[in-house]
Coordinates of all heavy atoms in Angstrom, one line a residue:
M1 N 0.9 -1.2 0.0 CA 0.0 0.0 0.0 C 0.9 1.2 0.0 O 1.9 1.3 0.7 CB -0.9 0.0 1.2 CG -1.9 1.1 1.3 SD -3.0 1.1 2.8 CE -3.4 -0.6 3.1
H2 N 0.6 2.2 -0.8 CA 1.3 3.5 -0.9 C 1.3 4.1 0.5 O 0.3 4.1 1.2 CB 0.6 4.4 -1.9 CG 1.4 5.6 -2.2 ND1 1.3 6.7 -1.5 CD2 2.4 5.8 -3.2 CE1 2.1 7.6 -2.0 NE2 2.8 7.1 -3.0
A3 N 2.4 4.8 0.8 CA 2.6 5.4 2.2 C 1.5 6.4 2.5 O 1.0 6.4 3.7 CB 3.9 6.0 2.3
E4 N 1.1 7.2 1.6 CA 0.0 8.2 1.9 C -1.3 7.6 2.2 O -2.0 8.0 3.1 CB -0.1 9.2 0.7 CG 1.0 10.2 0.6 CD 0.7 11.2 -0.4 OE1 -0.4 11.7 -0.6 OE2 1.7 11.5 -1.2
V5 N -1.6 6.5 1.5 CA -2.9 5.8 1.7 C -2.8 5.1 3.1 O -3.7 5.2 3.9 CB -3.1 4.8 0.6 CG1 -4.4 3.9 0.9 CG2 -3.3 5.5 -0.8
Q6 N -1.7 4.4 3.3 CA -1.5 3.8 4.6 C -1.6 4.8 5.8 O -2.3 4.5 6.8 CB -0.2 3.0 4.7 CG 0.0 2.4 6.1 CD 1.2 1.6 6.3 OE1 1.2 0.5 5.8 NE2 2.2 2.1 7.0
N7 N -1.0 5.9 5.6 CA -1.1 6.9 6.7 C -2.6 7.3 7.0 O -2.9 7.5 8.1 CB -0.3 8.2 6.3 CG 1.2 7.9 6.3 OD1 1.7 6.9 6.9 ND2 2.0 8.8 5.7
L8 N -3.4 7.5 5.9 CA -4.8 7.8 6.1 C -5.5 6.7 6.9 O -6.2 6.9 7.9 CB -5.5 8.0 4.8 CG -6.9 8.3 4.8 CD1 -7.2 9.5 5.7 CD2 -7.5 8.4 3.4
F9 N -5.2 5.4 6.5 CA -5.8 4.3 7.3 C -5.3 4.2 8.7 O -6.1 3.9 9.6 CB -5.6 3.0 6.5 CG -6.5 2.7 5.4 CD1 -6.1 2.9 4.1 CD2 -7.8 2.4 5.6 CE1 -7.0 2.7 3.0 CE2 -8.7 2.1 4.6 CZ -8.3 2.3 3.3
V10 N -4.0 4.5 8.9 CA -3.5 4.5 10.3 C -4.2 5.6 11.1 O -4.6 5.3 12.3 CB -1.9 4.7 10.2 CG1 -1.4 5.1 11.6 CG2 -1.2 3.5 9.7
R11 N -4.4 6.8 10.5 CA -5.1 7.8 11.3 C -6.5 7.4 11.7 O -6.9 7.6 12.8 CB -5.1 9.1 10.4 CG -3.8 9.8 10.3 CD -4.0 11.1 9.6 NE -2.7 11.4 9.0 CZ -2.5 11.9 7.8 NH1 -3.5 12.1 7.0 NH2 -1.3 12.1 7.4
I12 N -7.2 6.8 10.7 CA -8.5 6.3 11.0 C -8.5 5.3 12.2 O -9.3 5.3 13.1 CB -9.2 5.7 9.8 CG1 -9.5 6.8 8.8 CG2 -10.5 5.0 10.1 CD1 -9.9 6.3 7.4
H13 N -7.5 4.3 12.1 CA -7.4 3.3 13.1 C -7.0 4.0 14.5 O -7.5 3.5 15.5 CB -6.4 2.2 12.7 CG -7.1 1.0 12.4 ND1 -7.1 0.4 11.1 CD2 -7.8 0.1 13.1 CE1 -7.7 -0.7 11.1 NE2 -8.2 -0.9 12.3
L14 N -6.2 5.0 14.4 CA -5.8 5.7 15.7 C -7.0 6.3 16.3 O -7.2 6.3 17.5 CB -4.7 6.7 15.4 CG -3.3 6.1 15.2 CD1 -2.3 7.1 14.7 CD2 -2.8 5.3 16.4
L15 N -7.9 6.9 15.5 CA -9.1 7.5 16.0 C -10.0 6.4 16.6 O -10.6 6.6 17.7 CB -9.9 8.3 14.9 CG -9.3 9.6 14.5 CD1 -10.1 10.2 13.3 CD2 -9.2 10.6 15.6
Y16 N -10.1 5.3 15.9 CA -10.9 4.2 16.4 C -10.3 3.7 17.8 O -11.1 3.5 18.8 CB -10.8 3.0 15.4 CG -11.2 1.7 16.0 CD1 -12.6 1.4 16.3 CD2 -10.3 0.7 16.3 CE1 -12.9 0.2 16.9 CE2 -10.6 -0.5 16.9 CZ -12.0 -0.8 17.2 OH -12.3 -1.9 17.7
L17 N -9.0 3.5 17.9 CA -8.4 3.1 19.1 C -8.6 4.1 20.2 O -8.8 3.8 21.4 CB -6.9 2.8 18.9 CG -6.6 1.6 18.0 CD1 -5.1 1.6 17.6 CD2 -7.1 0.3 18.6
A18 N -8.5 5.4 19.9 CA -8.6 6.5 20.9 C -10.0 6.6 21.4 O -10.2 7.1 22.6 CB -8.1 7.8 20.3
Q19 N -11.0 6.2 20.6 CA -12.3 6.3 21.2 C -12.6 5.2 22.2 O -13.5 5.3 22.9 CB -13.4 6.4 20.1 CG -13.5 5.2 19.1 CD -14.3 4.1 19.5 OE1 -15.3 4.3 20.2 NE2 -14.0 2.9 19.1
R20 N -11.7 4.2 22.2 CA -11.9 3.1 23.1 C -11.1 3.4 24.4 O -11.5 3.0 25.5 CB -11.4 1.8 22.5 CG -12.2 1.4 21.3 CD -11.7 0.2 20.6 NE -11.5 -1.0 21.4 CZ -10.7 -1.9 21.2 NH1 -9.9 -1.9 20.2 NH2 -10.6 -3.0 22.0
E21 N -9.9 4.0 24.3 CA -9.1 4.3 25.4 C -8.0 5.3 25.0 O -7.7 5.4 23.9 CB -8.4 3.0 26.0 CG -7.5 2.3 25.0 CD -7.0 1.0 25.4 OE1 -7.7 0.2 26.1 OE2 -5.8 0.7 25.1
D22 N -7.4 6.0 26.0 CA -6.3 6.8 25.8 C -5.1 6.0 25.1 O -4.9 4.9 25.5 CB -5.8 7.5 27.0 CG -6.8 8.6 27.5 OD1 -7.8 8.9 26.8 OD2 -6.5 9.2 28.6
L23 N -4.4 6.7 24.3 CA -3.3 6.0 23.5 C -2.0 6.5 23.9 O -1.8 7.6 24.2 CB -3.5 6.3 22.0 CG -4.6 5.7 21.3 CD1 -4.6 6.2 19.8 CD2 -4.6 4.2 21.3
T24 N -1.0 5.5 23.9 CA 0.4 5.9 23.9 C 1.0 5.3 22.6 O 0.4 4.4 22.0 CB 1.1 5.3 25.1 OG1 1.1 3.9 25.0 CG2 0.5 5.8 26.4
V25 N 2.1 5.8 22.3 CA 2.8 5.3 21.1 C 3.1 3.8 21.3 O 2.8 3.0 20.4 CB 4.1 6.1 20.8 CG1 4.9 5.4 19.6 CG2 3.8 7.5 20.4
S26 N 3.6 3.4 22.4 CA 4.0 2.0 22.7 C 2.8 1.1 22.7 O 2.9 -0.1 22.4 CB 4.9 1.9 23.9 OG 4.2 2.4 25.0
D27 N 1.6 1.6 23.1 CA 0.4 0.8 23.1 C -0.1 0.7 21.7 O -0.7 -0.4 21.3 CB -0.7 1.4 24.0 CG -0.3 1.2 25.5 OD1 0.5 0.4 25.8 OD2 -0.9 2.0 26.3
A28 N -0.1 1.8 20.9 CA -0.6 1.8 19.6 C 0.2 0.9 18.6 O -0.4 0.3 17.7 CB -0.7 3.2 19.1
L29 N 1.5 0.8 18.8 CA 2.3 0.1 17.8 C 1.9 -1.4 17.7 O 1.6 -1.8 16.5 CB 3.8 0.2 18.2 CG 4.8 -0.6 17.3 CD1 4.7 0.0 15.9 CD2 6.2 -0.4 17.9
P30 N 1.8 -2.2 18.7 CA 1.4 -3.5 18.5 C -0.1 -3.7 18.0 O -0.3 -4.6 17.2 CB 1.5 -4.2 19.9 CG 1.6 -3.1 20.9 CD 2.1 -1.9 20.1
M31 N -0.9 -2.8 18.4 CA -2.3 -2.8 17.9 C -2.4 -2.6 16.3 O -3.1 -3.3 15.6 CB -3.2 -1.8 18.6 CG -3.5 -2.1 20.0 SD -4.6 -0.9 20.7 CE -3.8 -0.5 22.2
L32 N -1.6 -1.7 15.9 CA -1.5 -1.4 14.4 C -0.8 -2.5 13.7 O -1.2 -2.9 12.6 CB -0.9 -0.1 14.2 CG -1.7 1.2 14.6 CD1 -0.8 2.4 14.5 CD2 -3.0 1.3 13.9
E33 N 0.3 -3.1 14.3 CA 1.0 -4.2 13.6 C 0.1 -5.4 13.5 O 0.1 -6.1 12.5 CB 2.2 -4.5 14.4 CG 3.3 -3.5 14.2 CD 4.6 -3.7 15.1 OE1 4.5 -4.4 16.1 OE2 5.6 -3.3 14.7
E34 N -0.8 -5.6 14.5 CA -1.7 -6.8 14.5 C -2.7 -6.6 13.3 O -3.2 -7.6 12.8 CB -2.5 -6.9 15.8 CG -1.7 -7.4 16.9 CD -2.5 -7.3 18.3 OE1 -3.7 -7.0 18.2 OE2 -1.8 -7.5 19.3
R35 N -2.9 -5.4 12.9 CA -3.9 -5.1 11.8 C -3.2 -5.0 10.5 O -3.8 -4.6 9.5 CB -4.7 -3.8 12.2 CG -5.6 -4.0 13.3 CD -6.1 -2.7 13.9 NE -7.2 -2.9 14.9 CZ -7.0 -3.2 16.2 NH1 -5.7 -3.4 16.6 NH2 -8.0 -3.3 17.0
G36 N -1.9 -5.4 10.4 CA -1.2 -5.5 9.2 C -0.4 -4.2 8.7 O 0.1 -4.2 7.6
Y37 N -0.4 -3.2 9.5 CA 0.3 -2.0 9.1 C 1.8 -2.2 9.4 O 2.2 -2.8 10.4 CB -0.2 -0.8 9.9 CG -1.6 -0.4 9.6 CD1 -2.6 -0.7 10.6 CD2 -2.0 0.1 8.4 CE1 -3.9 -0.4 10.3 CE2 -3.3 0.4 8.2 CZ -4.2 0.2 9.1 OH -5.5 0.5 8.9
R38 N 2.6 -1.7 8.6 CA 4.1 -1.7 8.8 C 4.5 -0.3 9.2 O 4.7 0.6 8.3 CB 4.8 -2.1 7.5 CG 4.5 -3.5 7.1 CD 5.2 -4.0 5.9 NE 4.9 -5.3 5.5 CZ 5.4 -6.0 4.6 NH1 6.5 -5.5 4.0 NH2 5.1 -7.2 4.4
V39 N 4.5 -0.1 10.5 CA 4.9 1.3 11.0 C 5.8 1.1 12.2 O 6.0 0.1 12.8 CB 3.6 2.0 11.5 CG1 2.7 2.4 10.4 CG2 2.9 1.1 12.6
G40 N 6.5 2.2 12.4 CA 7.4 2.3 13.6 C 6.9 3.3 14.5 O 5.9 4.1 14.3
E41 N 7.5 3.4 15.7 CA 7.1 4.4 16.7 C 7.1 5.8 16.2 O 6.2 6.6 16.5 CB 8.0 4.2 17.9 CG 7.7 3.0 18.7 CD 8.4 2.9 20.1 OE1 9.1 3.9 20.4 OE2 8.3 1.9 20.7
R42 N 8.1 6.1 15.4 CA 8.2 7.5 14.9 C 7.0 7.9 14.0 O 6.4 8.9 14.1 CB 9.5 7.7 14.0 CG 9.8 9.1 13.7 CD 11.0 9.3 12.8 NE 10.6 9.3 11.5 CZ 11.1 8.6 10.5 NH1 12.1 7.8 10.7 NH2 10.6 8.7 9.3
E43 N 6.6 6.9 13.1 CA 5.5 7.2 12.2 C 4.2 7.3 13.1 O 3.3 8.2 12.8 CB 5.3 6.1 11.2 CG 6.3 6.0 10.1 CD 7.6 5.2 10.5 OE1 7.6 4.6 11.6 OE2 8.5 5.2 9.7
I44 N 4.0 6.5 14.1 CA 2.8 6.6 14.9 C 2.8 7.9 15.6 O 1.7 8.6 15.7 CB 2.8 5.4 15.9 CG1 2.5 4.1 15.2 CG2 1.6 5.7 16.9 CD1 2.7 2.9 16.0
K45 N 3.9 8.3 16.2 CA 4.0 9.6 16.9 C 3.6 10.8 15.9 O 2.9 11.7 16.3 CB 5.3 9.9 17.5 CG 5.3 11.1 18.4 CD 6.5 11.2 19.3 CE 6.3 12.4 20.1 NZ 7.5 12.8 20.9
Q46 N 4.1 10.7 14.7 CA 3.8 11.7 13.7 C 2.3 11.8 13.4 O 1.8 12.9 13.3 CB 4.6 11.5 12.4 CG 6.1 11.8 12.5 CD 6.8 11.4 11.2 OE1 6.4 10.6 10.4 NE2 8.0 12.0 11.1
E47 N 1.7 10.6 13.3 CA 0.3 10.6 13.0 C -0.5 11.1 14.2 O -1.5 11.8 14.0 CB -0.2 9.2 12.5 CG 0.5 8.7 11.2 CD 0.3 9.7 10.1 OE1 -0.7 10.5 10.0 OE2 1.2 9.7 9.2
L48 N -0.1 10.7 15.4 CA -0.8 11.2 16.6 C -0.7 12.7 16.7 O -1.7 13.4 17.0 CB -0.3 10.6 17.8 CG -0.6 9.1 18.0 CD1 0.3 8.5 19.1 CD2 -2.1 8.9 18.3
E49 N 0.5 13.3 16.3 CA 0.7 14.7 16.3 C -0.1 15.4 15.2 O -0.7 16.5 15.5 CB 2.2 15.0 16.2 CG 2.9 14.7 17.5 CD 4.5 14.8 17.3 OE1 5.0 15.0 16.2 OE2 5.2 14.7 18.3
H50 N -0.2 14.7 14.1 CA -1.1 15.3 13.0 C -2.5 15.4 13.5 O -3.2 16.4 13.2 CB -0.9 14.4 11.7 CG -1.8 14.8 10.6 ND1 -1.4 15.8 9.7 CD2 -3.0 14.4 10.2 CE1 -2.4 16.0 8.9 NE2 -3.4 15.2 9.2
L51 N -3.0 14.3 14.1 CA -4.4 14.3 14.6 C -4.6 15.3 15.7 O -5.7 15.9 15.8 CB -4.8 12.9 15.1 CG -4.9 11.8 14.0 CD1 -5.0 10.4 14.6 CD2 -6.2 12.1 13.1
T52 N -3.6 15.6 16.4 CA -3.6 16.6 17.5 C -3.7 18.0 16.8 O -4.5 18.9 17.3 CB -2.4 16.5 18.4 OG1 -2.4 15.2 19.0 CG2 -2.4 17.6 19.5
Q53 N -2.9 18.3 15.8 CA -3.0 19.5 15.1 C -4.3 19.8 14.5 O -4.8 20.9 14.4 CB -1.9 19.6 14.0 CG -0.5 19.7 14.5 CD 0.6 19.5 13.4 OE1 0.2 19.3 12.3 NE2 1.8 19.7 13.8
E54 N -5.0 18.7 14.1 CA -6.3 18.8 13.5 C -7.4 18.9 14.6 O -8.6 19.0 14.2 CB -6.6 17.6 12.6 CG -5.7 17.5 11.4 CD -5.9 18.6 10.4 OE1 -7.1 19.0 10.2 OE2 -4.9 19.0 9.8
N55 N -7.0 18.9 15.8 CA -7.9 19.0 17.0 C -8.8 17.8 17.1 O -9.9 17.8 17.7 CB -8.8 20.3 16.9 CG -9.4 20.6 18.3 OD1 -8.8 20.3 19.3 ND2 -10.6 21.1 18.2
F56 N -8.4 16.6 16.6 CA -9.1 15.4 16.8 C -8.6 14.6 18.0 O -9.4 13.9 18.6 CB -8.9 14.5 15.6 CG -9.5 15.0 14.3 CD1 -8.9 14.8 13.1 CD2 -10.6 15.9 14.3 CE1 -9.3 15.3 11.9 CE2 -11.1 16.4 13.1 CZ -10.4 16.1 11.9
L57 N -7.4 14.9 18.4 CA -6.8 14.3 19.7 C -6.3 15.4 20.5 O -5.9 16.5 20.0 CB -5.7 13.3 19.3 CG -6.1 12.0 18.6 CD1 -4.8 11.2 18.3 CD2 -7.1 11.2 19.3
T58 N -6.1 15.1 21.8 CA -5.4 16.0 22.7 C -4.3 15.3 23.4 O -4.6 14.1 23.8 CB -6.4 16.7 23.7 OG1 -5.7 17.7 24.4 CG2 -7.0 15.8 24.6
A59 N -3.2 15.9 23.6 CA -2.1 15.2 24.2 C -2.0 15.6 25.7 O -2.2 16.8 26.0 CB -0.7 15.6 23.5
H60 N -1.7 14.7 26.5 CA -1.5 14.9 27.9 C -0.4 14.0 28.4 O -0.6 12.8 28.5 CB -2.7 14.8 28.8 CG -3.7 13.7 28.4 ND1 -3.7 12.5 29.0 CD2 -4.6 13.7 27.4 CE1 -4.6 11.8 28.5 NE2 -5.2 12.4 27.5
G61 N 0.8 14.5 28.5 CA 2.0 13.7 28.8 C 2.3 12.8 27.6 O 2.4 13.3 26.5
D62 N 2.4 11.5 27.8 CA 2.7 10.6 26.7 C 1.5 9.9 26.2 O 1.6 8.9 25.5 CB 3.8 9.6 27.1 CG 3.4 8.6 28.1 OD1 2.4 8.9 28.8 OD2 4.0 7.6 28.3
Q63 N 0.3 10.4 26.6 CA -0.9 9.9 26.1 C -1.7 10.8 25.3 O -1.6 12.0 25.4 CB -1.8 9.5 27.3 CG -1.2 8.3 28.1 CD -2.2 7.9 29.2 OE1 -2.9 8.7 29.8 NE2 -2.2 6.6 29.5
W64 N -2.6 10.3 24.4 CA -3.5 11.0 23.6 C -4.9 10.6 23.8 O -5.1 9.4 23.9 CB -3.1 10.9 22.1 CG -1.9 11.7 21.6 CD1 -2.0 12.9 21.0 CD2 -0.6 11.3 21.7 NE1 -0.7 13.3 20.8 CE2 0.2 12.3 21.2 CE3 0.1 10.2 22.2 CZ2 1.6 12.3 21.1 CZ3 1.5 10.2 22.2 CH2 2.2 11.2 21.6
S65 N -5.8 11.5 23.8 CA -7.2 11.1 24.0 C -8.1 11.9 22.9 O -7.6 12.9 22.4 CB -7.7 11.4 25.4 OG -7.6 12.8 25.7
L66 N -9.2 11.3 22.6 CA -10.1 11.8 21.6 C -10.8 13.1 22.1 O -11.2 13.2 23.3 CB -11.1 10.8 21.3 CG -11.9 10.8 20.0 CD1 -10.9 10.8 18.8 CD2 -12.8 9.6 19.9
T67 N -10.9 14.1 21.3 CA -11.6 15.3 21.6 C -13.1 15.2 21.1 O -13.4 14.3 20.4 CB -10.9 16.6 20.9 OG1 -11.1 16.4 19.5 CG2 -9.5 16.7 21.3
G68 N -13.9 16.2 21.4 CA -15.2 16.3 20.9 C -15.2 16.3 19.4 O -16.0 15.7 18.7
T69 N -14.3 17.1 18.8 CA -14.2 17.2 17.4 C -13.7 15.9 16.8 O -14.2 15.5 15.7 CB -13.1 18.3 17.0 OG1 -13.5 19.5 17.6 CG2 -13.0 18.5 15.5
G70 N -12.9 15.2 17.5 CA -12.4 13.8 17.0 C -13.6 12.8 17.0 O -13.7 12.0 16.1
I71 N -14.4 12.9 18.0 CA -15.6 12.0 18.1 C -16.5 12.3 16.9 O -17.0 11.3 16.2 CB -16.4 12.2 19.4 CG1 -15.6 11.8 20.6 CG2 -17.8 11.6 19.4 CD1 -16.1 12.2 22.0
E72 N -16.8 13.5 16.6 CA -17.6 13.9 15.4 C -17.0 13.4 14.1 O -17.6 12.9 13.2 CB -17.9 15.4 15.4 CG -18.8 15.8 16.5 CD -20.1 15.0 16.6 OE1 -20.8 14.8 15.6 OE2 -20.4 14.5 17.7
E73 N -15.7 13.6 14.0 CA -14.9 13.2 12.8 C -15.0 11.7 12.6 O -15.2 11.2 11.5 CB -13.5 13.7 12.8 CG -12.7 13.3 11.6 CD -13.1 14.1 10.4 OE1 -13.9 15.1 10.5 OE2 -12.6 13.8 9.3
Y74 N -14.8 11.0 13.7 CA -14.9 9.5 13.7 C -16.3 9.0 13.3 O -16.4 8.1 12.5 CB -14.5 9.0 15.1 CG -14.5 7.4 15.1 CD1 -13.6 6.7 14.4 CD2 -15.5 6.8 15.8 CE1 -13.6 5.3 14.4 CE2 -15.5 5.4 15.9 CZ -14.6 4.7 15.2 OH -14.6 3.3 15.2
K75 N -17.3 9.7 13.7 CA -18.7 9.3 13.3 C -18.9 9.5 11.8 O -19.5 8.7 11.1 CB -19.7 10.1 14.1 CG -19.9 9.7 15.5 CD -20.9 10.7 16.2 CE -21.0 10.4 17.7 NZ -21.9 11.3 18.4
E76 N -18.4 10.6 11.3 CA -18.4 10.9 9.9 C -17.7 9.9 9.1 O -18.1 9.4 8.0 CB -17.9 12.3 9.6 CG -18.9 13.4 10.0 CD -18.4 14.8 9.7 OE1 -17.8 15.0 8.6 OE2 -18.6 15.7 10.5
I77 N -16.5 9.5 9.6 CA -15.7 8.5 8.9 C -16.4 7.2 8.8 O -16.4 6.5 7.8 CB -14.3 8.4 9.6 CG1 -13.4 9.6 9.4 CG2 -13.6 7.1 9.2 CD1 -12.2 9.7 10.2
L78 N -17.0 6.8 9.9 CA -17.8 5.5 10.0 C -18.9 5.5 8.9 O -19.1 4.5 8.2 CB -18.4 5.3 11.3 CG -17.4 4.9 12.4 CD1 -18.2 4.7 13.8 CD2 -16.7 3.6 12.1
A79 N -19.6 6.6 8.8 CA -20.7 6.7 7.8 C -20.1 6.6 6.4 O -20.6 5.8 5.5 CB -21.4 8.0 7.9
V80 N -19.0 7.3 6.1 CA -18.4 7.2 4.7 C -17.9 5.8 4.5 O -18.1 5.2 3.4 CB -17.3 8.3 4.6 CG1 -16.5 8.1 3.3 CG2 -17.9 9.7 4.6
L81 N -17.2 5.2 5.5 CA -16.6 3.9 5.3 C -17.7 2.9 5.0 O -17.5 1.9 4.3 CB -15.8 3.5 6.5 CG -14.4 4.1 6.6 CD1 -13.7 3.7 7.9 CD2 -13.5 3.7 5.4
G82 N -18.8 3.0 5.7 CA -20.0 2.1 5.5 C -20.4 2.2 4.0 O -20.6 1.1 3.4
R83 N -20.6 3.4 3.5 CA -21.0 3.5 2.1 C -19.9 3.0 1.1 O -20.3 2.3 0.2 CB -21.4 5.0 1.8 CG -22.6 5.5 2.5 CD -23.0 6.8 2.0 NE -22.0 7.9 2.1 CZ -21.8 8.7 3.1 NH1 -22.6 8.5 4.2 NH2 -20.8 9.6 3.1
V84 N -18.7 3.4 1.4 CA -17.6 2.9 0.5 C -17.4 1.4 0.5 O -17.3 0.8 -0.5 CB -16.3 3.7 0.9 CG1 -15.1 3.0 0.2 CG2 -16.4 5.1 0.6
S85 N -17.5 0.8 1.7 CA -17.3 -0.6 1.8 C -18.4 -1.4 1.1 O -18.1 -2.4 0.4 CB -17.1 -1.1 3.2 OG -18.3 -0.9 3.9
E86 N -19.6 -0.9 1.2 CA -20.7 -1.6 0.5 C -20.5 -1.5 -1.0 O -20.6 -2.5 -1.7 CB -22.1 -0.9 0.9 CG -22.6 -1.2 2.2 CD -23.9 -0.4 2.5 OE1 -24.5 0.1 1.6 OE2 -24.2 -0.4 3.7
E87 N -20.1 -0.4 -1.5 CA -19.9 -0.2 -2.9 C -18.7 -1.1 -3.4 O -18.8 -1.8 -4.4 CB -19.7 1.2 -3.3 CG -19.5 1.5 -4.7 CD -19.4 3.0 -5.1 OE1 -19.7 3.8 -4.2 OE2 -18.9 3.3 -6.1
L88 N -17.6 -1.0 -2.7 CA -16.4 -1.7 -3.1 C -16.6 -3.2 -3.0 O -16.2 -4.0 -3.9 CB -15.2 -1.3 -2.3 CG -14.7 0.1 -2.4 CD1 -13.6 0.4 -1.5 CD2 -14.3 0.4 -3.9
L89 N -17.3 -3.7 -2.0 CA -17.5 -5.1 -1.8 C -18.4 -5.7 -2.9 O -18.2 -6.7 -3.5 CB -18.1 -5.5 -0.5 CG -17.1 -5.2 0.7 CD1 -17.8 -5.5 2.0 CD2 -15.8 -6.1 0.6
V90 N -19.4 -4.9 -3.3 CA -20.3 -5.3 -4.4 C -19.6 -5.3 -5.7 O -19.6 -6.3 -6.4 CB -21.6 -4.4 -4.5 CG1 -22.3 -4.6 -5.8 CG2 -22.5 -4.6 -3.3
D91 N -18.8 -4.3 -6.0 CA -18.0 -4.2 -7.2 C -16.9 -5.2 -7.3 O -16.6 -5.7 -8.3 CB -17.5 -2.8 -7.4 CG -18.5 -1.8 -7.9 OD1 -19.6 -2.3 -8.3 OD2 -18.2 -0.6 -7.9
S92 N -16.3 -5.6 -6.1 CA -15.2 -6.6 -6.1 C -15.7 -7.9 -6.6 O -14.9 -8.7 -7.1 CB -14.6 -6.6 -4.8 OG -15.4 -7.2 -3.8
K93 N -17.0 -8.2 -6.4 CA -17.5 -9.5 -6.8 C -17.7 -9.6 -8.3 O -17.7 -10.7 -8.9 CB -18.9 -9.8 -6.1 CG -18.8 -10.0 -4.6 CD -20.1 -10.1 -4.0 CE -19.9 -10.2 -2.5 NZ -21.2 -10.3 -1.8
K94 N -17.7 -8.4 -9.0 CA -17.9 -8.4 -10.4 C -16.5 -8.5 -11.1 O -16.4 -8.8 -12.3 CB -18.5 -7.1 -10.8 CG -19.9 -6.9 -10.3 CD -20.4 -5.5 -10.7 CE -21.8 -5.2 -10.1 NZ -22.2 -3.9 -10.4
V95 N -15.4 -8.2 -10.4 CA -14.1 -8.2 -11.0 C -13.5 -9.7 -10.8 O -13.5 -10.2 -9.7 CB -13.2 -7.2 -10.2 CG1 -11.8 -7.3 -10.8 CG2 -13.7 -5.8 -10.4
S96 N -13.1 -10.2 -11.9 CA -12.5 -11.5 -11.9 C -11.0 -11.4 -11.5 O -10.3 -10.5 -11.9 CB -12.6 -12.3 -13.2 OG -12.0 -11.5 -14.2
P97 N -10.5 -12.3 -10.7 CA -9.1 -12.3 -10.3 C -8.1 -12.4 -11.5 O -8.4 -13.1 -12.5 CB -8.9 -13.5 -9.4 CG -10.1 -14.2 -9.4 CD -11.2 -13.5 -10.2
A98 N -7.0 -11.7 -11.5 CA -6.1 -11.7 -12.6 C -5.3 -13.0 -12.6 O -5.1 -13.7 -11.7 CB -5.1 -10.5 -12.4

């Protein structure tokens, strides 16, 4: 997966994880690796900082938590992902494997 695309998915997953519990870089790393992402601590910290700049997360010490804006963004993402996944899954059945 191209790095920019992966970064977007990582951000979405970080929002998902943050709505469940406060995050640290060291906690997020194994969770993301389990989901198939190839990331390091530096990349995770950059994405957490990016989400903080967008006001979706707030930092306190070495932890990040979801903000009200982050909750609303996460809800919007879920709605879009639902529509996109329905469309992509239906269309993927029409495409024959190469």
